[in-house]
Amino acid sequence: MKPTHVRLRRACAAAAVAGVLIAPAVAGSASGATVSAPAPAVPVSATPSPDADTPFPQLTPAVAAQLDAAIRQVMRQTKVPGVTVGLWAPGKGSYVKNFGVADKATGAPMTTGLHVRIGSETKTFTVTALLQLVDRRKVGLDDPIGTYIKGVPNGNRITLRELAGMRSGLFNYSLDENFIKRLQADPEQSFTPHQLLDYAFRHPVQFAPGAKFDYSNTNLILLGLVVEKVTGRPLHEVIAKDVLAPAGIRRTVFPTSPAMPDPYAHGYTNQTASGKIEDATGWNPSWAWAAGAMISDLEDLRSWAHTLATGTLLTPATQAERLKTTPMNLQGDGYGLGIFNVQGWIGHNGSIPGYEVLPVYLPQAQATMVILLNTDVSYKGQEPSTLFGEAVTGIVTPDHVYPGHKPYVPGRS
């Protein structure tokens, strides 16, 4: 997708793959982001198969030098202020490296341990909380959303499964022109979930439930409200106690204010009223809520990528439902329930003004890759996190290049 107006259309999230976004985010997708044809869901496994051994190199100094050169080349092209890249695979060693600056004003370098906003990676936590309720038989994936939330267009037909799988047909509130103008006019203001739904429900439904894949933040706002209604607790509390704590993740937060926990990287965006790059660190993420408000760091995202892909917080049956994918817009990719499988890499990416993250897991090699950026400024219509992912995987997993382009060639413009 090539946004033609303001890129708040992609801000919060990105199930973005390839240079075109599957999912904008402030995000959602209007053109180029839908896939029609309800293809049958394809089950995938997040456990390694002995018959499908994917070569993964020893992360030697020579390989590290290749990665360094590729990452620096992408940095020169994209002018990303700072990036952190982590790679881990059993028996192969690890590669963890910081590049550039965390604060352009002071020149402070990027370091491991810095907090960043994670945009649509938040969706993986919200959907996990929902699926835990499925395991407890408090909700059913095929329950209509209207059972829990009144006033939803097509609410008697759209299921929780279709919301989590981005096949509801509901308009993405973050594509609404009035919403974009209001957010850009005062990015520090607070929004309530119901205010966000009001923007979405002013628009007609886009298609019949289940007919297409269309990335919409509206879906996750509704699922967040379902979690709150069924548990009787605020979403941030549910995620903290029911998801983060049992996962052993301690530096990840669902914020209730614009504040960033120390230490943090400053984030830079051009999704501004003027179109100029500004420091978006203190922008209020309430507009993204269950779809994209959370904050994390490198080590927590490393741990979460494995937990998410292998389903350790869910029953095997529910994890199997989560990993059944339907096509997005690239050959070799699919979207499940708040999760994607792109060329074998399982996880989700995230983009919100000022930041992008890409935490993914490759079951065949039991490898984890986490990329953190302190900007969301696109390069020639492509997400910078996608370009870094392509550069890294082109070296270490040429048979599984994220997101499916040809392997990265240093020096290519």
Side-chain angles (χ1 to χ4, degrees):
M1 167 182 172
K2 295 181 180 179
T4 57
H5 188 52
V6 280
R7 288 192 310 279
L8 279 170
R9 298 187 169 189
R10 67 167 163 75
C12 185
V17 193
V20 298
L21 286 188
I22 286 187
V26 149
S29 107
S31 60
T34 62
V35 173
S36 45
V42 179
V44 297
S45 173
T47 56
S49 166
D51 301 321
D53 185 29
T54 294
F56 194 93
Q58 288 287 336
L59 295 171
T60 62
V63 172
Q66 285 183 277
L67 291 167
D68 289 353
I71 292 164
R72 289 192 176 106
Q73 175 66 21
V74 176
M75 285 193 76
R76 284 193 291 270
Q77 291 175 334
T78 60
K79 296 181 172 55
V80 167
V83 58
T84 297
V85 177
L87 279 171
W88 303 266
K92 305 296 184 178
S94 62
Y95 171 92
V96 178
K97 194 73 78 77
N98 301 286
F99 301 83
V101 300
D103 185 341
K104 295 199 293 186
T106 66
M110 285 290 283
T111 61
T112 54
L114 294 179
H115 289 92
V116 297
R117 299 193 190 276
I118 63 173
S120 282
E121 183 70 14
T122 302
K123 292 177 171 66
T124 65
F125 294 94
T126 300
V127 174
T128 296
L130 177 79
L131 295 178
Q132 289 176 321
L133 295 176
V134 171
D135 278 339
R136 292 166 52 197
R137 299 188 178 180
K138 299 292 186 180
V139 302
L141 281 173
D142 296 313
D143 293 347
I145 182 61
T147 302
Y148 305 96
I149 309 297
K150 303 304 179 185
V152 180
N154 266 358
N156 62 331
R157 299 176 58 201
I158 297 169
T159 65
L160 304 186
R161 185 191 302 273
E162 288 162 342
L163 291 167
M166 299 296 176
R167 303 181 74 88
S168 71
L170 294 172
F171 184 84
N172 187 343
Y173 68 86
S174 52
L175 290 177
D176 181 270
E177 298 295 336
N178 291 323
F179 166 78
I180 293 170
K181 290 176 183 176
R182 179 177 169 184
L183 179 60
Q184 286 188 326
D186 180 11
E188 296 181 10
Q189 68 184 294
S190 182
F191 290 87
T192 69
H194 287 285
Q195 285 176 320
L196 302 175
L197 293 179
D198 286 344
Y199 284 107
F201 297 166
R202 293 170 187 169
H203 299 263
V205 295
Q206 309 296 290
F207 50 82
K212 297 180 181 181
F213 172 90
D214 184 58
Y215 195 92
S216 174
N217 290 324
T218 303
N219 298 337
L220 268 291
I221 303 303
L222 287 167
L223 293 182
L225 290 173
V226 170
V227 170
E228 289 196 330
K229 182 164 187 176
V230 173
T231 63
R233 293 179 285 154
L235 181 62
H236 66 271
E237 222 176 78
V238 175
I239 288 179
K241 294 183 178 179
D242 299 354
V243 181
L244 300 179
I249 291 176
R250 296 178 175 82
R251 295 174 299 277
T252 300
V253 297
F254 193 119
T256 56
S257 77
M260 287 281 283
D262 287 323
Y264 59 85
H266 284 253
Y268 302 92
T269 188
N270 61 354
Q271 298 197 70
T272 58
S274 67
K276 295 179 181 178
I277 294 176
E278 297 178 10
D279 188 328
T281 308
W283 287 16
N284 193 330
S286 64
W287 66 266
W289 196 52
M294 289 178 68
I295 297 166
S296 190
D297 70 0
L298 179 73
E299 282 298 328
D300 269 11
L301 289 176
R302 171 194 177 185
S303 177
W304 178 244
H306 180 271
T307 296
L308 176 68
T310 57
T312 56
L313 298 184
L314 304 174
T315 63
T318 298
Q319 179 70 359
E321 290 298 308
R322 171 171 229 167
L323 292 177
K324 290 179 181 177
T325 64
T326 53
M328 293 191 287
N329 65 353
L330 283 179
Q331 184 176 1
D333 73 22
Y335 200 87
L337 302 180
I339 198 169
F340 63 47
N341 183 324
V342 176
Q343 307 304 326
W345 289 96
I346 296 174
H348 209 292
N349 55 357
S351 177
I352 193 167
Y355 303 91
E356 290 194 348
V357 299
L358 177 59
V360 286
Y361 180 78
L362 183 66
Q364 293 90 333
Q366 300 180 59
T368 303
M369 176 175 70
V370 179
I371 298 174
L372 312 179
L373 313 177
N374 62 345
T375 187
D376 67 314
V377 177
S378 63
Y379 174 75
K380 294 186 176 180
Q382 296 194 74
E383 297 299 290
S385 61
T386 297
L387 296 175
F388 283 104
E390 179 186 9
V392 170
T393 56
I395 292 169
V396 296
T397 55
D399 293 332
H400 298 272
V401 177
Y402 178 97
H405 297 145
K406 294 179 182 179
Y408 174 80
V409 178
R412 184 185 62 190
S413 60

